[in-house]
Amino acid sequence: MTVEPLNDEDRAAALDTLDEWDYDESRDAITRRFTFADFSEAFAFMTRVALLAEKADHHPEWSNVWNRVDIALTTHDAGGLSHKDVAMAEAIEALAE
């Protein structure tokens, strides 16, 4: 099944629902930084996200430095932001609450 990138209207609507996420136009991706009390909390969060990503077969680009986790979501097969990224961001938000 081919995944299509979001058009401008759908991207704007999605970003309106993802308050904490920023749009990176140069990468056609959404990004967010999560900050935790310490490395253990950050790593535990990454583990939970990894399990979600495996189930969805959609994996984030991310990095971790001590208590910070930076996440970028884009769909390489679609050549940019897609509904898969929006769904993953929503699922990640639910984990972070």
Side-chain angles (χ1 to χ4, degrees):
M1 182 169 107
T2 303
V3 178
E4 297 294 323
L6 296 178
N7 62 37
D8 292 344
E9 184 178 309
D10 291 338
R11 181 176 54 244
L15 289 170
D16 281 346
T17 67
L18 297 169
D19 294 333
E20 300 294 322
W21 293 78
D22 295 315
Y23 180 62
D24 181 342
E25 187 174 356
S26 68
R27 298 173 60 197
D28 196 17
I30 51 176
T31 62
R32 175 149 185 226
R33 172 171 283 176
F34 293 87
T35 305
F36 300 92
D38 56 28
F39 176 77
S40 293
E41 282 188 22
F43 194 83
F45 171 74
M46 290 179 72
T47 301
R48 292 189 305 271
V49 172
L51 294 172
L52 280 177
E54 278 297 298
K55 276 187 169 181
D57 193 29
H58 189 59
H59 305 90
E61 297 176 22
W62 58 9
S63 66
N64 165 241
V65 177
W66 189 58
N67 69 336
R68 293 187 325 264
V69 177
D70 293 315
I71 298 178
L73 297 172
T74 189
T75 304
H76 299 286
D77 293 345
L81 195 63
S82 78
H83 67 87
K84 290 178 82 171
D85 304 304
V86 174
M88 181 60 69
E90 290 169 344
I92 290 170
E93 284 299 312
L95 283 179
E97 293 178 350

